[in-house]
Amino acid sequence: MTEFVEIKINLSAMGWEDRFPGAKVYIDDQLIFDKIISNTEQIDWTGKLVDGEHKIIVEMYNKHEGDTVISDDNNIVNDVVLNIDNVIIDEVELGSLVWSASTYYPSGEDSPESLNNCVNLGWNGSWELPFSAPTYLWLLDNL
């Protein structure tokens, strides 16, 4: 079986001067958005999904060496960060599920292999939120 699913993803960024993160957004392996984020963005996608497991993937890119500035007393003065503010599936806000059901896979020499409970992406890498269709059953089981 297949169903039409409506997904909205709200992103924002922290940056400085001309330094801002890029975001690519995928539904499974389908690229639906690719842009440098300097303000807030809402990504809207509607499409058919077959019953079974799926993923929303947000890939942060465009962070470079020197984009994080740390003061002498070890406080971050400037940084480049991509924030996943909200995800809405079929008009249902996922709320804390965006945070608790996702995994972030940062890439970089000083980054951990993965982070749970993270929606503020400070390294280039991929954030993944698994879900399943039919979405109403997944929402009932997880909210």
mmCIF file of all heavy atoms in Angstrom, residues 16 19 63 65-80 110 122-123:
data_model
loop_
_atom_site.group_PDB
_atom_site.id
_atom_site.type_symbol
_atom_site.label_atom_id
_atom_site.label_comp_id
_atom_site.label_asym_id
_atom_site.label_seq_id
_atom_site.Cartn_x
_atom_site.Cartn_y
_atom_site.Cartn_z
ATOM 1 N N TRP A 16 27.854 33.913 11.380
ATOM 2 C CA TRP A 16 28.450 35.225 11.608
ATOM 3 C C TRP A 16 29.155 35.683 10.342
ATOM 4 O O TRP A 16 29.593 34.873 9.541
ATOM 5 C CB TRP A 16 29.372 35.212 12.824
ATOM 6 C CG TRP A 16 30.491 34.217 12.786
ATOM 7 C CD1 TRP A 16 30.392 32.860 12.969
ATOM 8 C CD2 TRP A 16 31.870 34.474 12.556
ATOM 9 N NE1 TRP A 16 31.622 32.268 12.879
ATOM 10 C CE2 TRP A 16 32.559 33.240 12.631
ATOM 11 C CE3 TRP A 16 32.605 35.628 12.301
ATOM 12 C CZ2 TRP A 16 33.933 33.132 12.443
ATOM 13 C CZ3 TRP A 16 33.972 35.515 12.133
ATOM 14 C CH2 TRP A 16 34.621 34.278 12.218
ATOM 15 N N ARG A 19 29.470 33.634 7.117
ATOM 16 C CA ARG A 19 29.622 32.200 7.398
ATOM 17 C C ARG A 19 28.293 31.629 7.894
ATOM 18 O O ARG A 19 27.830 31.989 8.980
ATOM 19 C CB ARG A 19 30.706 31.983 8.445
ATOM 20 C CG ARG A 19 32.052 32.518 8.026
ATOM 21 C CD ARG A 19 33.008 32.509 9.193
ATOM 22 N NE ARG A 19 34.258 33.157 8.837
ATOM 23 C CZ ARG A 19 35.445 32.621 9.036
ATOM 24 N NH1 ARG A 19 35.561 31.431 9.590
ATOM 25 N NH2 ARG A 19 36.527 33.278 8.706
ATOM 26 N N LYS A 63 30.481 24.043 6.821
ATOM 27 C CA LYS A 63 31.210 24.525 7.985
ATOM 28 C C LYS A 63 32.684 24.247 7.734
ATOM 29 O O LYS A 63 33.057 23.144 7.337
ATOM 30 C CB LYS A 63 30.747 23.859 9.266
ATOM 31 C CG LYS A 63 31.443 24.442 10.487
ATOM 32 C CD LYS A 63 30.756 24.080 11.774
ATOM 33 C CE LYS A 63 31.443 24.768 12.942
ATOM 34 N NZ LYS A 63 30.709 24.529 14.184
ATOM 35 N N GLU A 65 37.014 25.079 8.822
ATOM 36 C CA GLU A 65 37.940 25.370 9.901
ATOM 37 C C GLU A 65 37.948 26.874 10.140
ATOM 38 O O GLU A 65 37.973 27.667 9.200
ATOM 39 C CB GLU A 65 39.342 24.885 9.521
ATOM 40 C CG GLU A 65 40.326 24.970 10.654
ATOM 41 C CD GLU A 65 41.655 24.347 10.297
ATOM 42 O OE1 GLU A 65 41.672 23.332 9.581
ATOM 43 O OE2 GLU A 65 42.672 24.896 10.740
ATOM 44 N N GLY A 66 37.895 27.266 11.388
ATOM 45 C CA GLY A 66 37.862 28.687 11.732
ATOM 46 C C GLY A 66 36.465 29.248 11.904
ATOM 47 O O GLY A 66 36.323 30.397 12.322
ATOM 48 N N ASP A 67 35.430 28.467 11.609
ATOM 49 C CA ASP A 67 34.054 28.950 11.772
ATOM 50 C C ASP A 67 33.615 28.987 13.232
ATOM 51 O O ASP A 67 32.651 29.667 13.567
ATOM 52 C CB ASP A 67 33.071 28.095 10.963
ATOM 53 C CG ASP A 67 33.108 28.421 9.482
ATOM 54 O OD1 ASP A 67 33.757 29.411 9.093
ATOM 55 O OD2 ASP A 67 32.495 27.680 8.706
ATOM 56 N N THR A 68 34.288 28.231 14.100
ATOM 57 C CA THR A 68 34.024 28.285 15.534
ATOM 58 C C THR A 68 35.146 29.085 16.179
ATOM 59 O O THR A 68 36.316 28.719 16.069
ATOM 60 C CB THR A 68 33.977 26.875 16.153
ATOM 61 O OG1 THR A 68 32.963 26.114 15.482
ATOM 62 C CG2 THR A 68 33.653 26.926 17.636
ATOM 63 N N VAL A 69 34.783 30.187 16.826
ATOM 64 C CA VAL A 69 35.757 31.052 17.481
ATOM 65 C C VAL A 69 35.552 30.931 18.988
ATOM 66 O O VAL A 69 34.447 31.164 19.490
ATOM 67 C CB VAL A 69 35.590 32.520 17.024
ATOM 68 C CG1 VAL A 69 36.579 33.422 17.741
ATOM 69 C CG2 VAL A 69 35.736 32.624 15.512
ATOM 70 N N ILE A 70 36.635 30.572 19.694
ATOM 71 C CA ILE A 70 36.579 30.364 21.143
ATOM 72 C C ILE A 70 37.440 31.431 21.820
ATOM 73 O O ILE A 70 38.575 31.686 21.411
ATOM 74 C CB ILE A 70 37.065 28.947 21.507
ATOM 75 C CG1 ILE A 70 36.154 27.919 20.835
ATOM 76 C CG2 ILE A 70 37.084 28.748 23.017
ATOM 77 C CD1 ILE A 70 36.572 26.486 20.993
ATOM 78 N N SER A 71 36.889 32.034 22.874
ATOM 79 C CA SER A 71 37.604 33.084 23.605
ATOM 80 C C SER A 71 38.696 32.474 24.480
ATOM 81 O O SER A 71 38.766 31.254 24.660
ATOM 82 C CB SER A 71 36.634 33.890 24.465
ATOM 83 O OG SER A 71 36.134 33.083 25.507
ATOM 84 N N ASP A 72 39.510 33.338 25.063
ATOM 85 C CA ASP A 72 40.586 32.891 25.947
ATOM 86 C C ASP A 72 40.066 32.134 27.162
ATOM 87 O O ASP A 72 40.756 31.269 27.702
ATOM 88 C CB ASP A 72 41.433 34.086 26.412
ATOM 89 C CG ASP A 72 42.223 34.695 25.266
ATOM 90 O OD1 ASP A 72 42.452 33.985 24.253
ATOM 91 O OD2 ASP A 72 42.597 35.873 25.374
ATOM 92 N N ASP A 73 38.842 32.449 27.603
ATOM 93 C CA ASP A 73 38.273 31.738 28.759
ATOM 94 C C ASP A 73 37.366 30.579 28.329
ATOM 95 O O ASP A 73 36.484 30.153 29.066
ATOM 96 C CB ASP A 73 37.556 32.699 29.699
ATOM 97 C CG ASP A 73 36.484 33.522 29.013
ATOM 98 O OD1 ASP A 73 36.395 33.497 27.764
ATOM 99 O OD2 ASP A 73 35.717 34.199 29.721
ATOM 100 N N ASN A 74 37.598 30.058 27.122
ATOM 101 C CA ASN A 74 36.945 28.848 26.603
ATOM 102 C C ASN A 74 35.444 28.986 26.342
ATOM 103 O O ASN A 74 34.721 27.991 26.377
ATOM 104 C CB ASN A 74 37.195 27.644 27.514
ATOM 105 C CG ASN A 74 38.267 26.749 26.943
ATOM 106 O OD1 ASN A 74 38.770 26.998 25.843
ATOM 107 N ND2 ASN A 74 38.617 25.722 27.680
ATOM 108 N N ASN A 75 34.963 30.162 26.059
ATOM 109 C CA ASN A 75 33.570 30.355 25.660
ATOM 110 C C ASN A 75 33.514 30.516 24.146
ATOM 111 O O ASN A 75 34.392 31.135 23.543
ATOM 112 C CB ASN A 75 32.970 31.592 26.330
ATOM 113 C CG ASN A 75 32.787 31.399 27.816
ATOM 114 O OD1 ASN A 75 32.321 30.350 28.251
ATOM 115 N ND2 ASN A 75 33.162 32.404 28.593
ATOM 116 N N ILE A 76 32.465 29.987 23.542
ATOM 117 C CA ILE A 76 32.283 30.143 22.100
ATOM 118 C C ILE A 76 31.781 31.557 21.831
ATOM 119 O O ILE A 76 30.748 31.970 22.342
ATOM 120 C CB ILE A 76 31.310 29.084 21.540
ATOM 121 C CG1 ILE A 76 31.911 27.688 21.705
ATOM 122 C CG2 ILE A 76 30.996 29.364 20.072
ATOM 123 C CD1 ILE A 76 31.003 26.557 21.284
ATOM 124 N N VAL A 77 32.536 32.287 21.029
ATOM 125 C CA VAL A 77 32.212 33.668 20.684
ATOM 126 C C VAL A 77 31.394 33.716 19.396
ATOM 127 O O VAL A 77 30.397 34.413 19.300
ATOM 128 C CB VAL A 77 33.502 34.503 20.529
ATOM 129 C CG1 VAL A 77 33.182 35.928 20.109
ATOM 130 C CG2 VAL A 77 34.317 34.481 21.805
ATOM 131 N N ASN A 78 31.807 32.974 18.389
ATOM 132 C CA ASN A 78 31.103 32.878 17.108
ATOM 133 C C ASN A 78 31.105 31.419 16.680
ATOM 134 O O ASN A 78 32.065 30.695 16.935
ATOM 135 C CB ASN A 78 31.801 33.706 16.020
ATOM 136 C CG ASN A 78 31.631 35.186 16.223
ATOM 137 O OD1 ASN A 78 30.529 35.655 16.464
ATOM 138 N ND2 ASN A 78 32.719 35.930 16.121
ATOM 139 N N ASP A 79 30.025 31.020 16.008
ATOM 140 C CA ASP A 79 29.947 29.638 15.539
ATOM 141 C C ASP A 79 28.997 29.566 14.350
ATOM 142 O O ASP A 79 28.225 30.482 14.078
ATOM 143 C CB ASP A 79 29.456 28.718 16.663
ATOM 144 C CG ASP A 79 29.897 27.276 16.491
ATOM 145 O OD1 ASP A 79 30.556 26.961 15.473
ATOM 146 O OD2 ASP A 79 29.591 26.454 17.375
ATOM 147 N N VAL A 80 29.062 28.431 13.672
ATOM 148 C CA VAL A 80 28.170 28.119 12.560
ATOM 149 C C VAL A 80 27.414 26.850 12.955
ATOM 150 O O VAL A 80 28.023 25.798 13.148
ATOM 151 C CB VAL A 80 28.965 27.911 11.252
ATOM 152 C CG1 VAL A 80 28.064 27.388 10.148
ATOM 153 C CG2 VAL A 80 29.632 29.212 10.830
ATOM 154 N N ASP A 110 37.437 15.907 15.132
ATOM 155 C CA ASP A 110 37.182 16.038 16.566
ATOM 156 C C ASP A 110 35.746 15.692 16.952
ATOM 157 O O ASP A 110 35.318 15.963 18.059
ATOM 158 C CB ASP A 110 37.510 17.457 17.024
ATOM 159 C CG ASP A 110 36.613 18.501 16.371
ATOM 160 O OD1 ASP A 110 36.015 18.203 15.318
ATOM 161 O OD2 ASP A 110 36.514 19.615 16.912
ATOM 162 N N GLY A 122 26.452 21.124 15.012
ATOM 163 C CA GLY A 122 27.633 21.962 15.074
ATOM 164 C C GLY A 122 28.790 21.456 14.231
ATOM 165 O O GLY A 122 29.814 22.111 14.130
ATOM 166 N N TRP A 123 28.648 20.290 13.659
ATOM 167 C CA TRP A 123 29.630 19.740 12.731
ATOM 168 C C TRP A 123 28.917 19.445 11.418
ATOM 169 O O TRP A 123 27.717 19.182 11.404
ATOM 170 C CB TRP A 123 30.195 18.406 13.223
ATOM 171 C CG TRP A 123 31.079 18.450 14.422
ATOM 172 C CD1 TRP A 123 32.408 18.775 14.456
ATOM 173 C CD2 TRP A 123 30.720 18.111 15.767
ATOM 174 N NE1 TRP A 123 32.889 18.648 15.732
ATOM 175 C CE2 TRP A 123 31.872 18.248 16.562
ATOM 176 C CE3 TRP A 123 29.528 17.704 16.388
ATOM 177 C CZ2 TRP A 123 31.892 17.998 17.924
ATOM 178 C CZ3 TRP A 123 29.540 17.461 17.740
ATOM 179 C CH2 TRP A 123 30.711 17.612 18.493
#
